[in-house]
Amino acid sequence: MNTHDERPALQALNALYGRRAAVYDYELMPVAPLRREAIAALDLQPGETVLDIGAGTGLSLPGLCEAVGPNGRVIAVEPCEAMMRQARERSRADHLGAPVDFLAAAAQDAPYEAALGERRADAALFFFTHDVLQSIAALERALAVLKPGGRVVAAGLAWAPPWLPLSNLFVLGAAAHSVTRMDGLDCPWRQLEARMKEAEVERRWLASAYLLRGRR
Ligand SMILES: C[S@@+](CC[C@H](N)C(=O)[O-])C[C@H]1O[C@@H](n2cnc3c(N)ncnc32)[C@H](O)[C@@H]1O
């Protein structure tokens, strides 16, 4: 069992994503259809509050903001300064149509309550956030501020079965420069699924990626 409760190595994260931030949006372009699918799977309604955990450069923000509208709220959690800077710039430049709170913190320590007040979030997105999903502390902290029955969607890379070696070559190459630890890629959603009332997982991209939809 993965019990990666230690705090993320912020230096390692800043080094990894600080380097990638400038080209990140281009690198992630092929992922756009899966991102749209993940956001749609959250089934967001106008006025709802959604957490974007490991928000990166904010590529999910336009879709999330559009779904919750001006009376809703998006809470973007991101510890890497360079990635967060771009997310903030995106929200300024794109007039996203919903208020966004930026929490410059790791998911393990994010001050969710400061943004949520007395409320709880309706939904949470973990999009290509393998490091977060391997941390029980990060998951429990985020799930604690979700309403009972709150919707959760996660998507990311996962090892394919061994008879799909090209898929695994792709996972190896992509993961090598997007995660700080490779373990858990056989079933990245294991710890999250264990904390859901219900969850279903589907595979995508010749089994090199997955999409989980669940309820807390
Ligand atoms: C592959 S990027 C995905 C970014 C974004 N979700 C997207 O869809 O493009 C992974 C992000 O997770 C962030 N991350 C890593 N560990 C984290 C943690 N413990 N808490 C919150 N975010 C974390 C990284 O800094 C990085 O921006």
Side-chain angles (χ1 to χ4, degrees):
M1 186 170 87
N2 288 327
T3 52
H4 304 151
D5 273 353
E6 68 270 27
R7 293 299 180 257
L10 284 181
Q11 236 177 330
L13 266 188
N14 275 306
L16 179 65
Y17 283 104
R19 264 197 315 271
R20 284 185 73 192
V23 291
Y24 184 82
D25 290 3
Y26 299 104
E27 289 179 350
L28 268 277
M29 280 166 94
V31 178
L34 184 56
R35 185 186 304 280
R36 280 196 293 275
E37 191 181 1
I39 292 171
L42 283 167
D43 193 24
L44 293 168
Q45 305 301 314
E48 287 193 327
T49 296
V50 58
L51 310 176
D52 184 7
I53 316 265
T57 61
L59 283 169
S60 296
L61 293 180
L64 295 174
C65 287
E66 190 186 344
V68 299
N71 297 320
R73 179 166 293 272
V74 180
I75 298 176
V77 180
E78 172 56 49
C80 172
E81 291 153 27
M83 299 290 269
M84 181 60 115
R85 200 174 312 122
Q86 280 189 223
R88 286 182 197 274
E89 276 164 21
R90 183 187 308 282
S91 93
R92 274 194 294 271
D94 291 358
H95 309 294
L96 294 175
V100 181
D101 288 299
F102 293 98
L103 304 185
Q108 289 87 337
D109 302 310
Y112 296 103
E113 293 81 359
L116 284 166
E118 296 293 300
R119 291 166 302 141
R120 291 207 187 172
D122 299 283
L125 177 65
F126 298 85
F127 195 83
F128 281 69
T129 54
H130 182 73
D131 289 327
V132 180
L133 293 186
Q134 303 317 301
S135 164
I136 291 173
L139 289 178
E140 293 194 338
R141 180 96 185 88
L143 296 179
V145 297
L146 260 193
K147 286 180 181 163
R151 286 103 59 203
V152 175
V153 170
L157 299 165
W159 292 130
W163 56 88
L164 292 171
L166 287 182
S167 293
N168 284 323
L169 205 59
F170 166 72
V171 174
L172 180 64
H177 85 141
S178 53
V179 300
T180 62
R181 57 194 321 157
M182 299 286 280
D183 48 339
L185 279 169
D186 57 327
C187 186
W189 57 85
R190 185 179 284 123
Q191 301 297 346
L192 179 60
E193 187 179 29
R195 287 162 177 76
M196 298 282 94
K197 197 161 73 182
E198 55 192 66
E200 64 178 43
V201 179
E202 293 171 11
R203 301 305 291 262
R204 295 286 184 275
W205 304 349
L206 291 172
S208 60
Y210 70 91
L211 180 72
L212 173 148
R213 308 156 210 257
R215 280 184 184 274
R216 179 182 164 239

